[in-house]
Amino acid sequence: MTDHNRDDNGESHRPDMPAWLPAIFSLIIPGSGQFLLGERARAIGLLATVLGLGALILWQGTAALWAPLAAIWLWGAWSAYQTAKGRRPGMGLPFLLGFLILYGVGVAVTDVRPQRLISGWPAVQPYLRALTEPELLEYPTEDLVGSVPFQVPCIDPLPEPSRSPTEDPRLTTDVPCGEIGDLVQVTGEGFFPGVEGEFRWVNPIGDVQRVIEEGQQLTFVPDEQGRFQVTFRVPLAVPLSRLPQPGETQTHAIRAEQHKPYGSLEPTRTLDLVLEKIGETIALAFMATVLGLIFAVPVSFLAARNLMWGNPFTRGVYYVVRTLLNVVRSIETLMWAIVFVVWVGVGPFGGMLALTLHTIAALGKLYSEAIESIDPGPIEAIRATGATFPQVVVYAVLPQIVPTFLSFTLYRWDINVRMSTVIGLISDAGLGFLVIQWIRLGDLRAMATAIIAIMLVVAILDYVSGWLRERVIRGTPAGQEASPARRYAVTAVVTVGFVAAFIWSWNVSRINPVELVRGAPAGLQMLRDFAVPDILTRPTEEKSVRATLPVPCGSGESSTPGVSGPRVNLSLSCGDVGDELTIRGHELPPDRRVSVRWALSSSAYLRIHRDCCTTDSTGSLTWRTTIHPLMEVDPDAGRDEPGEVIVTWTEPIGGLQFSEPFKEVVRLSAVTLLMALLATTIGTVFAVPLSFLAARNIMGTHPVSRAIYYIFRGIFNLWRSVEPMILALICSAWVGPGPFAGVLALGLNNIPNLGKLFSETIEEIDTGPVEAITATGANRLQVLMYAIVPQLVPKYLAFILYQWDINIRMSTVIGYVGGGGIGQFFRIQVQLNQYDAAGMAVWAIVLMVWSMDYLSAKAREQLT
């Protein structure tokens, strides 16, 4: 295309017009002046920016943000004027104002309130204290547990309690019953003298909670005769919806426990559970990586452009496979775990399947890109001999890609270990399951044990996989080639170890292919609902036809159906409970799902049958049943009028419009993007200064500096081992559930991730400029500003964009544990079995991830 704004020498010139004219145009429509001057890309960008930011301000409603938007608009007019004069203004000011608006809207819609960090600090302190007091070792104990029943509330007459008290030790109460909040005095006998004990309250279904008085755990210390007396208030131990009706009572139990230590230290039960789940976590990651590798290798060849571009058929296969890989990997593993929980049930198997599917997509893409980057020479040479496609793969492709494939596989193993620690949020698998359960039970020391275990396991396996990747990439030096006997021995040991690990992981993962087949209908139905989201809808109104059915005969008048129009006829004009009844509908909407129900006189409804009914092509239906007992007129039960048989259906009214779930998904998508932006900003602000403390070349060789370097490097490696999902649980306790908790969790996760990337970048800088600036006598600050920072900014920006991309992925699911955003909407819809609405959230996530992938990749190309 010819650029009419450039002459034959390539120099830019402007159309011959007054400079004020494009400025006036830009005042009327942003960007129109630039368009008039031929600056089409800038014109479109300016118009899109003003419209987009204006829509955000309208959505959020902060009037103060109109001022910077107006400034961008005016800048556009000034820019058009300057451009017409032959000068090209910089974009710094509009970018700054645009980010000011974005952050203003983001802070408002994500409900960021810094004061909550202070007001909520007492709530998070127990979590932090627990991290310093994990349950690792304990003395064996001699246990004494006494309990006594207690009824809530008091009624007259008070029935016998459904629980029996213990005899030795013995607990008694001054009153046998009470209301919530009443004082109750408990006396104990037969306990260990001088040994502190704790109280527990057991509700009617066996749930146990600590007894809290004035914010502290209630304890007791028996005297020398093993007796004590304590007074406390009756707690609310059941949900409000489960409180007894008037005239009813529930039997609870008051329990006093003593645990007297003796002997030597031994691992706690908590530590035993954690060690067991560590094995399960590693097994899930190993199994998912191996199975993912097996399936990803053949898939990757179908997704490699250089292998599949030979003819239209293989090209079509390439596009289909690449699209499927991108869709699957765009959806977080946790969401796939929900699908497989529906498919195969709760347990390690579903979690492993979710990890495996995501691994296939991720490795398939990485492998295919590795194949596309190989040297084409051997491929062309093998093809020239007339070799088939499999022969080309075996003799020209595999020798070039095996080391890269191994490196990518180890990298994915590292990711699977991290993800398997939180897969327990959905399925009964991995260390994450213990964290969730202990947080819900308020056992924070046990929770701390699991979190510390996660940090150590991930950090150790991260180091091991990194070391193995380095060995694979570097290879073995020629001088260190092992003898044939040693190679055979090593191969045999590795093979036996791999087979043993595979069998062990298979058993731990509880893999059951039968369940995969048996649950396929439910899982595939859920996927179909996901695939066809409820975007458009039409308003509907409910219509019905009914017929009165007196039960028994004589309890009322039966109705007379009409002779035309929608109607329902009954085979009986009246009857008794259990009589056979035929229900016939006429002139109803054809081929329509309708509901046939018993309509009671109390305005209650009851479906006649779960699978009833669908009309035929003529609008008729016939259903045979028996009269339900609830249809019988019973004045004592408040049913003194005859019931009806009612057939209802919905009729669309009006035109198509966006559904309410769709509107909510669009709104929450914007919230999710802003959450990711704010979290990335928080992480960057803290990571930049901390990264210098973790850079070896900056800290130097002084012992104190070296100690600081190792401390911060260690903190980064351990801190980044905690998944954002677990941080979100803690942040929800800190600032309350919602988007702010999600922003805080992601931001805290970003600090060590970006800090590690930034510090490694600092260590890789070119030393030439540093030495040159130092030679001039510059101090450390000047060296930093003039020799180091200019090298870091482009790479830092690239890493920040990369982290923002990751944050968008994570913010889509962090709401599942109280972090707000579109993930919270997804969780609620799944719990309500509204899979079509949940599917809309999934597609929104895919579109967001794809869009941000593309934009961040383009931006990184410009920066690196």
Side-chain angles (χ1 to χ4, degrees):
M1 180 182 294
T2 303
D3 188 346
H4 297 290
N5 293 321
R6 293 186 179 273
D7 58 23
D8 294 338
N9 296 322
E11 295 180 358
S12 176
H13 64 85
R14 303 297 171 193
D16 187 13
M17 66 176 71
W20 56 263
L21 183 61
I24 294 296
F25 270 85
S26 284
L27 279 175
I28 299 171
I29 300 176
S32 58
Q34 284 81 357
F35 191 86
L36 191 64
L37 292 168
E39 297 277 346
R40 296 180 179 176
R42 181 173 285 203
I44 294 172
L46 184 59
L47 179 61
T49 299
V50 171
L51 292 177
L53 293 177
L56 284 176
I57 296 172
L58 281 173
W59 167 52
Q60 196 277 322
T62 301
L65 295 177
W66 289 112
L69 182 63
I72 294 176
W73 196 321
L74 292 173
W75 177 91
W78 177 79
S79 174
Y81 179 83
Q82 292 293 319
T83 303
K85 287 284 191 180
R87 295 185 288 270
R88 190 179 180 89
M91 299 291 291
L93 179 62
F95 269 111
L96 180 63
L97 293 173
F99 275 109
L100 175 64
I101 295 172
L102 275 178
Y103 283 110
V105 173
V107 168
V109 300
T110 58
D111 200 24
V112 172
R113 299 181 187 176
Q115 64 269 24
R116 288 190 192 173
L117 297 174
I118 299 173
S119 61
W121 183 247
V124 81
Q125 281 182 317
Y127 291 84
L128 301 179
R129 274 198 306 270
L131 289 173
T132 65
E133 302 171 352
E135 294 184 1
L136 302 177
L137 300 173
E138 65 180 1
Y139 289 96
T141 59
E142 184 179 352
D143 303 325
L144 278 180
V145 179
S147 68
V148 61
F150 191 84
Q151 292 175 280
V152 181
C154 293
I155 60 174
D156 189 21
L158 188 67
E160 287 293 322
S162 59
R163 293 174 171 173
S164 301
T166 57
E167 294 296 332
D168 187 21
R170 184 166 176 260
L171 286 182
T172 57
T173 58
D174 61 336
V175 289
C177 61
E179 303 285 342
I180 296 170
D182 287 351
L183 288 173
V184 55
Q185 187 180 83
V186 179
T187 302
E189 298 177 358
F191 287 84
F192 295 127
V195 176
E196 186 178 68
E198 295 181 346
F199 277 102
R200 302 283 192 274
W201 190 280
V202 186
N203 71 14
I205 63 171
D207 291 338
V208 181
Q209 67 183 55
R210 289 180 167 90
V211 177
I212 305 296
E213 280 289 307
E214 298 180 355
Q216 299 293 326
Q217 163 72 50
L218 183 63
T219 61
F220 63 91
V221 178
D223 59 20
E224 295 179 354
Q225 286 75 41
R227 298 173 182 168
F228 66 86
Q229 194 172 83
V230 175
T231 301
F232 60 88
R233 296 188 181 275
V234 176
L236 174 62
V238 296
L240 294 176
S241 59
R242 301 286 183 87
L243 290 174
Q245 298 297 318
E248 298 179 354
T249 189
Q250 295 174 335
T251 301
H252 299 243
I254 301 171
R255 197 164 76 192
E257 301 180 359
Q258 278 183 310
H259 307 285
K260 181 180 179 181
Y262 67 91
S264 57
L265 287 172
E266 59 183 31
T268 63
R269 173 60 179 160
T270 296
L271 184 58
D272 289 339
L273 284 173
V274 166
L275 293 175
E276 178 185 335
K277 286 295 182 179
I278 286 176
E280 189 173 272
T281 296
I282 295 173
L284 290 175
F286 178 80
M287 204 72 217
T289 305
V290 171
L291 294 180
L293 167 67
I294 293 171
F295 288 101
V297 168
V299 168
S300 65
F301 289 104
L302 301 177
R305 181 189 293 265
N306 55 343
L307 298 182
M308 301 298 291
W309 214 248
N311 60 70
F313 174 75
T314 56
R315 201 174 304 145
V317 172
Y318 162 80
Y319 280 120
V320 170
V321 174
R322 261 299 172 95
T323 301
L324 287 174
L325 291 179
N326 287 331
V327 169
V328 172
R329 76 184 189 87
S330 298
I331 302 171
E332 281 294 321
T333 309
L334 208 63
M335 289 187 169
W336 286 119
I338 294 171
V339 174
F340 285 112
V341 163
V342 173
W343 196 318
V344 300
V346 176
F349 186 28
M352 189 278 298
L353 288 173
L355 286 169
T356 300
L357 184 62
H358 205 272
T359 298
I360 293 171
L363 287 182
K365 185 174 186 295
L366 290 173
Y367 290 171
S368 64
E369 291 172 350
I371 294 170
E372 289 174 350
S373 63
I374 62 175
D375 182 3
I379 297 177
E380 295 169 359
I382 296 294
R383 278 179 176 165
T385 65
T388 62
F389 179 79
Q391 290 172 325
V392 170
V393 170
V394 172
Y395 296 106
V397 178
L398 286 180
Q400 299 188 61
I401 62 175
V402 168
T404 306
F405 272 31
L406 288 175
S407 177
F408 284 150
T409 303
L410 289 170
Y411 172 70
R412 184 64 202 187
W413 149 260
D414 184 23
I415 293 175
N416 282 343
V417 170
R418 296 172 185 272
M419 284 309 304
S420 61
T421 61
V422 297
I423 208 73
L425 293 167
I426 302 302
S427 61
D428 176 13
L431 282 166
F433 174 74
L434 294 180
V435 174
I436 296 300
Q437 295 305 312
W438 283 328
I439 287 179
R440 288 172 178 168
L441 293 173
D443 195 347
L444 300 186
R445 291 187 61 205
M447 171 215 71
T449 307
I451 289 179
I452 292 172
I454 290 173
M455 295 170 65
L456 292 176
V457 167
V458 172
I460 292 171
L461 293 178
D462 187 18
Y463 173 80
V464 172
S465 62
W467 178 78
L468 289 173
R469 282 198 302 273
E470 185 178 356
R471 291 293 301 271
V472 168
I473 294 171
R474 289 168 51 190
T476 303
Q480 296 182 10
E481 288 290 338
S483 64
R486 184 177 179 182
R487 287 202 304 270
Y488 290 141
V490 170
T491 301
V493 170
V494 170
T495 302
V496 171
F498 176 83
V499 171
F502 186 88
I503 294 172
W504 170 70
S505 299
W506 181 284
N507 292 328
V508 171
S509 302
R510 302 181 205 167
I511 295 176
N512 187 353
V514 174
E515 288 296 327
L516 192 60
V517 176
R518 182 183 298 137
L524 293 175
Q525 179 61 50
M526 186 179 186
L527 290 176
R528 280 194 294 270
D529 291 340
F530 277 5
V532 187
D534 182 19
I535 297 177
L536 297 174
T537 186
R538 293 177 65 181
T540 61
E541 64 177 357
E542 186 176 88
K543 295 189 175 182
S544 64
V545 291
R546 59 187 67 206
T548 304
L549 180 63
V551 180
C553 290
S555 59
E557 295 292 331
S558 60
S559 58
T560 302
V563 296
S564 63
R567 61 193 183 278
V568 58
N569 288 337
L570 305 178
S571 61
L572 300 173
S573 59
C574 63
D576 294 316
V577 172
D579 288 352
E580 293 185 357
L581 177 70
T582 301
I583 303 169
R584 291 185 175 88
H586 305 281
E587 298 187 38
L588 302 173
D591 299 317
R592 180 73 62 83
R593 186 75 179 172
V594 298
S595 175
V596 182
R597 298 177 287 183
W598 307 111
L600 310 181
S601 59
S602 60
S603 300
Y605 291 97
L606 179 68
R607 280 191 302 178
I608 286 178
H609 195 276
R610 186 180 62 180
D611 300 323
C612 176
C613 301
T614 302
T615 60
D616 61 20
S617 58
T618 66
S620 300
L621 72 83
T622 300
W623 190 265
R624 292 178 177 82
T625 184
T626 58
I627 297 177
H628 195 277
L630 289 179
M631 290 289 286
E632 185 176 18
V633 172
D634 184 0
D636 293 337
R639 298 191 298 272
D640 48 12
E641 295 290 336
E644 297 175 311
V645 175
I646 180 171
V647 179
T648 62
W649 68 95
T650 57
E651 291 283 358
I653 57 174
L656 287 173
Q657 61 184 26
F658 289 118
S659 65
E660 290 304 317
F662 176 78
K663 296 175 184 177
E664 184 66 5
V665 163
V666 171
R667 184 186 74 84
L668 290 175
S669 297
V671 173
T672 298
L673 291 172
L674 291 170
M675 284 173 58
L677 175 65
L678 292 177
T680 307
T681 304
I682 291 172
T684 302
V685 168
F686 286 94
V688 168
L690 294 177
S691 64
F692 288 93
L693 300 176
R696 186 190 300 266
N697 53 342
I698 297 296
M699 297 308 294
T701 58
H702 189 276
V704 175
S705 299
R706 297 290 290 172
I708 294 173
Y709 161 78
Y710 282 116
I711 288 172
F712 276 92
R713 265 300 172 93
I715 290 173
F716 283 166
N717 288 330
L718 290 175
W719 189 352
R720 62 193 289 269
S721 302
V722 183
E723 284 292 314
M725 303 291 286
I726 293 174
L727 289 174
L729 286 166
I730 298 174
C731 291
S732 294
W734 188 354
V735 298
F740 186 20
V743 169
L744 192 58
L746 289 172
L748 290 173
N749 178 257
N750 288 176
I751 294 172
N753 286 333
L754 288 175
K756 185 172 186 292
L757 291 172
F758 290 170
S759 63
E760 291 173 350
T761 302
I762 295 170
E763 292 176 349
E764 295 170 358
I765 61 174
D766 183 2
T767 58
V770 177
E771 294 170 355
I773 296 294
T774 303
T776 65
N779 58 36
R780 291 178 67 89
L781 181 59
Q782 291 171 323
V783 171
L784 177 66
M785 294 300 299
Y786 297 107
I788 297 176
V789 170
Q791 299 186 58
L792 299 179
V793 169
K795 293 183 179 180
Y796 271 28
L797 291 175
F799 284 138
I800 291 168
L801 288 170
Y802 173 70
Q803 188 63 51
W804 187 32
D805 187 16
I806 293 175
N807 283 342
I808 290 171
R809 296 171 187 268
M810 284 307 306
S811 61
T812 59
V813 296
I814 206 168
Y816 207 87
V817 291
I822 201 170
Q824 188 167 343
F825 172 86
F826 177 82
R827 173 180 62 83
I828 293 171
Q829 298 305 316
V830 168
Q831 289 176 342
L832 295 174
N833 295 330
Q834 300 295 325
Y835 297 136
D836 52 350
M840 202 155 13
V842 171
W843 282 113
I845 290 167
V846 171
L847 291 175
M848 280 192 291
V849 171
W850 282 8
S851 300
M852 293 303 111
D853 264 350
Y854 175 78
L855 294 176
S856 62
K858 289 296 183 183
R860 287 195 296 270
E861 286 177 7
Q862 298 296 320
L863 293 169
T864 55

